[in-house]
Amino acid sequence: MLTRRDLLVAPLLLSGCGRSEVAVERPLFVADAHPSEYPTVQALFAIDRILAERTGGEMRVRIYSGGQLGSEADTLEITIFGGIDMNRVNLAPLNSIAPETIVLALPFLFRDTEHLRQAVDGAPGRKILDALSRHGLKGLCYYDSGGRSFYNTKRPIHTPGDLRGMKIRVQNSDIYVAMVQALGANPTPMPYGEVYQALVQGVVDGAENNWPSYESSRHFEVARHYSLTRHVLAPEVLVASERTWQKLDEQQRDHLQAAAWESVPIMRDLWDRRVNDARRRMLESGIEVVEDVDHEAFVDLMLPVWDRFLTTPKLRELAEEITRMNNFDTTTPG
Ligand code: GTR
């Protein structure tokens, strides 16, 4: 198993003299917080298969799933340094690194999954991935993450007032902190891997996530009230270390980028099925699902959050560009 010390020497192993002579002498290391059967991790396995086939086994990816290399925030730092070659993270831990990523995390920005897919497949998605290169990361592609909804151990949430005073775990991102504060609850930033215990011990009363994570993290065992607020649809993102990227020759980069793009429809297909399966299993487990949510009341309280985080004309334009794309009439689960 890879240790933190290995990660410190890993950049030295990806060697080469001139760019065109670079050889990948070991597999590319990639981190993911989710267990191996989760759709994001399955997408990484797909990348490995595609690369192995196209390069006759010269380029491979080795996947460290289940958060074994550390929290998303920690592994991102190591990725920027070059100790991990690739990282599949939620957009939230990137919010403090690249301000452009905040736009996709704005509450109630997306109407549904189709709207999100249109935005990330189009110009706005491209701009945000490109913005990462100034911060030591090469943005490769986005994956779905569905709608995040609040769940808790105490009571059903229909209105923001029901959240008042509750301690809610949030991802390590200022916009999530502000969002939960604006709803009248107490935000507690905490790495994903610590949330289950925190719920059991009452350190927090609730959290927020999509159906597949609510299930696979087993938070549903403790937090039995799941309210369909779907307040954020921010995607997952696959990044490479800019240091690793610079060590690959042009053909290797093309292979890696193509494999990442090709993994997106594979992931979306797995994702849609996983959302349906997780939802069905959760309902069967007897949790209380609150569908009757006062969305307007939630949206109203989020307007100041938009103002606070859209601090530059560039960010406002990006948000407007995405809002204008909201012209679909199909829906997919999320
Ligand atoms: C999941 C996401 C993870 C992580 C987690 C969290 O939906 O896939 O990358 O961000 O949420 O809440 O920390």
Side-chain angles (χ1 to χ4, degrees):
M1 158 150 174
L2 196 68
T3 64
R4 282 181 178 252
R5 197 186 160 281
D6 295 331
L7 296 178
L8 295 175
V9 296
L12 308 174
L13 297 172
L14 262 191
S15 62
C17 323
R19 210 184 250 178
S20 57
E21 294 163 41
V22 172
V24 180
E25 292 169 3
R26 60 160 176 78
L28 297 167
F29 299 154
V30 54
D32 194 307
H34 288 300
S36 62
E37 85 293 344
Y38 200 87
T40 52
V41 184
Q42 287 299 314
L44 301 175
F45 281 115
I47 292 179
D48 181 47
R49 280 196 302 275
I50 295 167
L51 283 178
E53 199 183 290
R54 303 258 165 89
T55 66
E58 186 209 326
M59 286 183 84
R60 298 294 303 261
V61 167
R62 186 182 299 157
I63 298 145
Y64 293 90
S65 58
Q68 54 182 297
L69 299 184
S71 71
E72 293 192 354
D74 287 351
T75 57
L76 263 180
E77 266 180 44
I78 304 172
T79 308
I80 291 169
F81 163 74
I84 298 175
D85 303 302
M86 291 156 70
N87 207 338
R88 193 293 310 162
V89 287
N90 191 258
L91 217 66
L94 284 163
N95 293 166
S96 60
I97 297 174
E100 292 83 353
T101 61
I102 288 174
V103 174
L104 298 179
L106 288 169
F108 301 106
L109 172 70
F110 297 108
R111 201 196 66 191
D112 56 21
T113 301
E114 285 308 323
H115 183 200
L116 164 83
R117 288 176 179 174
Q118 194 195 12
V120 298
D121 291 349
R126 183 78 264 149
K127 283 181 211 167
I128 296 167
L129 287 184
D130 287 349
L132 297 177
S133 58
R134 284 196 299 281
H135 307 279
L137 296 167
K138 162 76 187 164
L140 290 172
C141 65
Y142 297 98
Y143 295 129
D144 279 17
S145 193
R148 296 179 76 96
S149 290
F150 287 104
Y151 47 86
N152 74 90
T153 57
K154 303 271 183 217
R155 54 180 177 263
I157 306 295
H158 298 273
T159 68
D162 297 328
L163 272 165
R164 192 160 302 134
M166 276 197 200
K167 283 173 286 174
I168 301 291
R169 176 271 171 169
V170 290
Q171 302 187 84
N172 208 341
S173 153
D174 289 349
I175 189 164
Y176 283 83
V177 170
M179 181 176 69
V180 166
Q181 249 158 9
L183 293 171
N186 301 323
T188 308
M190 183 185 290
Y192 188 48
E194 292 171 23
V195 184
Y196 180 81
Q197 273 310 320
L199 285 166
V200 170
Q201 290 166 0
V203 174
V204 293
D205 304 312
E208 41 89 59
N209 224 315
N210 53 45
W211 282 114
S213 290
Y214 176 56
E215 180 190 28
S216 81
S217 62
R218 296 176 29 236
H219 296 174
F220 75 96
E221 291 176 3
V222 201
R224 306 290 287 166
H225 309 280
Y226 189 88
S227 296
L228 293 173
T229 49
R230 294 174 51 80
H231 47 275
V232 172
L233 265 81
E236 317 284 359
V237 63
L238 177 64
V239 294
S241 169
E242 190 60 49
R243 288 200 179 182
T244 299
W245 187 253
Q246 293 305 333
K247 287 176 186 154
L248 301 178
D249 68 26
E250 215 165 292
Q251 208 187 16
Q252 289 167 329
R253 288 181 190 176
D254 288 350
H255 280 312
L256 183 54
Q257 182 63 77
W261 279 330
E262 286 169 43
S263 72
V264 173
I266 298 173
M267 192 279 179
R268 285 181 181 172
D269 190 42
L270 292 171
W271 179 256
D272 288 345
R273 280 189 276 147
R274 178 73 178 231
V275 169
N276 285 329
D277 289 350
R279 188 199 287 119
R280 181 180 41 76
R281 285 191 293 259
M282 291 301 86
L283 288 171
E284 283 167 8
S285 87
I287 61 146
E288 179 189 16
V289 181
V290 180
E291 299 201 20
D292 173 23
V293 168
D294 184 353
H295 278 106
E296 265 177 44
F298 279 90
V299 172
D300 284 352
L301 290 173
M302 292 302 105
L303 296 177
V305 176
W306 278 50
D307 282 346
R308 185 168 148 201
F309 285 88
L310 294 179
T311 46
T312 64
K314 216 173 122 195
L315 292 182
R316 275 195 292 279
E317 270 163 38
L318 202 52
E320 275 162 24
E321 192 180 344
I322 294 173
T323 311
R324 279 199 303 272
M325 291 177 125
N326 188 359
N327 55 6
F328 266 72
D329 52 17
T330 50
T331 42
T332 42

